[in-house]
Amino acid sequence: MQKTVCLKMTDICKSYPGVKALDHVSLELYKGEVHALLGENGAGKSTLCKIMAGAQKRDSGEYYIGDEKIEDLTPSAAKEKGISIIYQEFNLVPYLKVYENLFLGKELKKGMNTDKKAMIAKTKEILDRFNIEIDPEARISDLTNAYKQLVEIAKAVLEDAKVLCMDEPTAPLTSREVDILFKLIQELKENGVTIIYISHRLEELFEVSDRITVMRDGKYITTVNTKDTNRKELVSLMVGRELGEDFPQRDSKIGEEILRVENLSTEKTKLSNINFSLRKGEILGFAGLVGAGRTEVMRAIFGADPRTSGDIYIKGKKVEINKPIDAIEKGISLVPEDRKGQGVSLTMSIRENISLVCLKQICQAGRVNLKKDREWSEKYIKALEIKTPTMEQKVKNLSGGNQQKVAIAKWLVTNSDIIILDEPTRGIDVGAKQEIYLLMNQLIEQGKSLIMISSEMPELLGMSDRILVMHEGTITGEVSRQEATQQLILEYASGGKMSEV
Ligand SMILES: Nc1ncnc2c1ncn2[C@@H]1O[C@H](COP(=O)(O)OP(=O)(O)OP(=O)(O)O)[C@@H](O)[C@H]1O
Ligand SMILES: [Mg+2]
């Protein structure tokens, strides 16, 4: 590869109250490379990208785009210079259509009027070029996260980005979409686009990146060529120590049936005839592609979506669950996939978020026991290594991964017997992932039962006692821990075993 430096940052510093987010960080990007940023939650990856794209101001340090020295940079000036960023948090306007989002603020005109036809055609051309099957006239709010992600990228392509930051682009995607994304990245690269790629999935970095810069606690650690490094080295560079086994062992003592779902169907979310049971002390994994209906099953069980049919039994007794509060009262909790929307209150502090769900434990004679309240928060901040100056920090000021940890902490403190975790480790760094696995095992040892939806195959295989696979709203396969392989699961996930088709 020809090594033309297209962007250079040196000695960048950035502080927030109580936090040194970036401490003399330097970065050099080559034209047409995929450059990964790797580091634990709160290491400063997103902050660096935001400064690059003009969304945050640096306190000090130098910044060059090509040969041009950059002083102040607004987001729109950055865009004009070809620096685009796809945020961890989606940035599309939900009630607008796909093509309207792509052309927002730069609508094509025909005379005095907007040229709807031309915009739709251009949108379709980009989507087709990358094999993205989305109707240009679909409303953003009707799309799944995976598709929203692809629309964001299509938007950057339209804007002719030269440097494109992708901040955890694959977090909401599953294997098929990841493949599409990687193909797209390859094409962008061939067109000379430089990509900054942030992901906590190490295996992806090996597949997609040319170089990797490791950050830790706001500091630059090193930059390595991807082909010259390995997983073990990267992990120890990013956490500063060696980590043990990926998946902690647990004593599986699987007991009697605790939850049974019979003939569950929904109209709006297109589930048909879902049957399964969960046993005490079991981790039941749910595999499937995006859109297979896993989240929808859980929402229906939890009373968040209406069912057209379906009975739910807890410990053999039929129960009525018509709204989430019924489910919570029956001892079911759900840690949702969309944690921003449903999992945490961004404007409240970490402590307030945690105490909301454990009011019972921290209330005495109708009053909040402040000492206990703080103890709980302290305990979970420590257990999950939530990176924050204080427990009073507003959740919106935390890094993406640390927000996820708060959402999970919230539910780990409940007393439910059945805990449903929808993508529990999405956006979480390797070290903290292990903490979450340990906490899951502890819950199991306390006699609780878990359902885990996950799009990360190693996690499904490593943690589940049994895995159910879904495809287009039905369960297409069940595999035990012993027989589970990636191949088998993918076969079921695409609609059945290949050999039987
Ligand atoms: N607006 C803000 N106010 C206060 N602190 C902030 C703000 N934005 C980021 N921080 C802090 O800066 C640090 C770096 O955050 P950043 O979002 O860059 O981390 P990250 O490496 O992207 O982590 P993750 O993998 O969790 O997304 C964190 O400690 C975070 O809490
Ligand atoms: Mg981040």
Side-chain angles (χ1 to χ4, degrees), residues 41-42 44-47 50 88-89 167-168 198 200 399-401 427:
N41 295 130
K45 306 176 295 293
S46 297
T47 304
K50 284 178 189 162
Q88 232 165 340
E89 312 82 27
D167 197 344
E168 299 188 43
I198 301 179
H200 290 289
S399 76

Side-chain angles (χ1 to χ4, degrees), residues 163-350:
V163 175
L164 180 54
C165 306
M166 299 187 177
D167 197 344
E168 299 188 43
T170 55
L173 310 189
T174 49
S175 44
R176 198 171 42 161
E177 280 87 4
V178 172
D179 287 346
I180 296 176
L181 176 71
F182 283 2
K183 246 190 250 153
L184 198 154
I185 288 178
Q186 207 54 43
E187 276 187 53
L188 292 170
K189 239 177 98 165
E190 277 159 24
N191 287 308
V193 178
T194 303
I195 287 157
I196 297 193
Y197 188 89
I198 301 179
S199 173
H200 290 289
R201 300 182 185 171
L202 289 173
E203 61 281 6
E204 289 179 359
L205 305 195
F206 286 103
E207 201 174 330
V208 80
S209 75
D210 301 300
R211 295 195 298 158
I212 303 171
T213 288
V214 183
M215 297 171 67
R216 194 196 313 146
D217 289 333
K219 293 191 183 66
Y220 171 87
I221 302 296
T222 184
T223 301
V224 293
N225 286 322
T226 308
K227 61 175 176 15
D228 301 330
T229 187
N230 56 48
R231 186 187 162 89
K232 201 168 162 210
E233 183 186 46
L234 286 179
V235 169
S236 75
L237 283 172
M238 72 186 274
V239 268
R241 63 192 149 92
E242 303 250 329
L243 280 185
E245 276 295 298
D246 276 2
F247 300 100
Q249 296 293 315
R250 69 171 175 272
D251 269 339
S252 279
K253 279 198 281 306
I254 295 176
E256 71 281 3
E257 175 189 288
I258 180 136
L259 171 77
R260 186 165 83 247
V261 175
E262 281 184 1
N263 301 318
L264 173 81
S265 297
T266 61
E267 193 177 292
K268 200 169 150 235
T269 56
K270 300 193 184 73
L271 298 175
S272 95
N273 203 17
I274 303 288
N275 291 283
F276 73 91
S277 65
L278 170 72
R279 292 162 66 182
K280 188 169 174 176
E282 183 177 45
I283 297 182
L284 178 63
F286 267 75
L289 303 175
V290 165
R294 298 170 298 168
T295 296
E296 289 71 16
V297 169
M298 302 314 153
R299 288 179 54 86
I301 294 172
F302 198 63
D305 286 335
R307 305 186 291 271
T308 46
S309 71
D311 295 323
I312 298 168
Y313 298 82
I314 290 180
K315 293 182 184 149
K317 269 211 343 243
K318 191 170 158 181
V319 293
E320 282 303 322
I321 297 178
N322 296 314
K323 30 187 199 323
I325 188 71
D326 299 339
I328 293 169
E329 276 169 6
K330 303 280 183 312
I332 304 179
S333 59
L334 172 71
V335 185
E337 171 185 36
D338 171 16
R339 283 179 275 262
K340 279 272 162 51
Q342 306 160 12
V344 284
S345 307
L346 292 173
T347 52
M348 294 210 280
S349 71
I350 303 175

Side-chain angles (χ1 to χ4, degrees), residues 377-394:
S377 295
E378 225 159 73
K379 179 174 156 196
Y380 281 96
I381 287 172
K382 207 157 154 239
L384 291 168
E385 296 177 2
I386 296 173
K387 192 172 179 245
T388 177
T390 81
M391 66 175 76
E392 303 302 335
Q393 178 75 298
K394 293 218 182 344

